């Protein structure tokens, strides 16, 4: 089970990383039993996080606009990006 939290302006992730849905740049099917901080400055202003079984999206406020990031399983284009890669382990910007 995947759990992603926002606390103290940081994203924390734990659970299964089978599709890269934790954003920890892990390409192996690994389960993290303790929370790990996503050390990415783009997530210092996260206002909303949504996660599913194989992917995660995060909405961040940057200056006067919002940016949407996605990562995880993407074999059917679930991440909303142009490329349909099987796994995307690093957060990427969604153009909307």
């Amino acid at each position: 089970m995947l759990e992603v939290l926002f606390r103290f302006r940081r994203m924390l992730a734990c659970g299964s990383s089978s599709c890269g849905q934790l954003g920890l740049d892990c390409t192996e099917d690994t389960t993290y039993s303790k929370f790990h901080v996503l050390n990415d400055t783009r997530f210092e202003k996260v206002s909303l996080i949504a996660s599913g079984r194989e992917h995660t999206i995060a909405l961040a406020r940057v200056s006067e606009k919002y940016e949407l990031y996605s990562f995880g399983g993407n074999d059917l284009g679930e991440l909303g990006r142009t490329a349909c890669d099987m796994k995307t382990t690093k957060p990427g910007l969604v153009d909307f």
Side-chain angles (χ1 to χ4, degrees):
M1 181 174 165
L2 166 71
E3 292 184 30
V4 179
L5 302 174
F6 171 68
R7 185 175 175 198
F8 304 112
R9 295 189 176 207
R10 294 282 187 238
M11 270 183 67
L12 307 173
C14 74
S16 171
S17 185
S18 61
C19 294
Q21 65 269 43
L22 298 182
L24 298 172
D25 197 22
C26 178
T27 57
E28 298 176 10
D29 186 1
T30 305
T31 299
Y32 295 90
S33 59
K34 294 184 179 180
F35 283 102
H36 292 267
V37 176
L38 275 73
N39 290 317
D40 192 321
T41 57
R42 295 175 291 186
F43 296 126
E44 291 180 357
K45 299 286 184 174
V46 170
S47 57
L48 180 67
I49 300 167
S51 61
R53 180 176 174 176
E54 295 183 349
H55 57 278
T56 302
I57 59 172
L59 186 67
R61 185 174 179 97
V62 179
S63 298
E64 296 297 317
K65 64 178 184 168
Y66 285 93
E67 292 182 345
L68 184 65
Y69 294 91
S70 62
F71 42 98
N74 192 39
D75 54 332
L76 299 174
E78 302 95 307
L79 299 182
R81 298 196 236 159
T82 55
C84 289
D85 301 323
M86 293 301 285
K87 295 180 183 179
T88 305
T89 61
K90 291 184 178 181
L93 186 62
V94 177
D95 187 26
F96 67 98

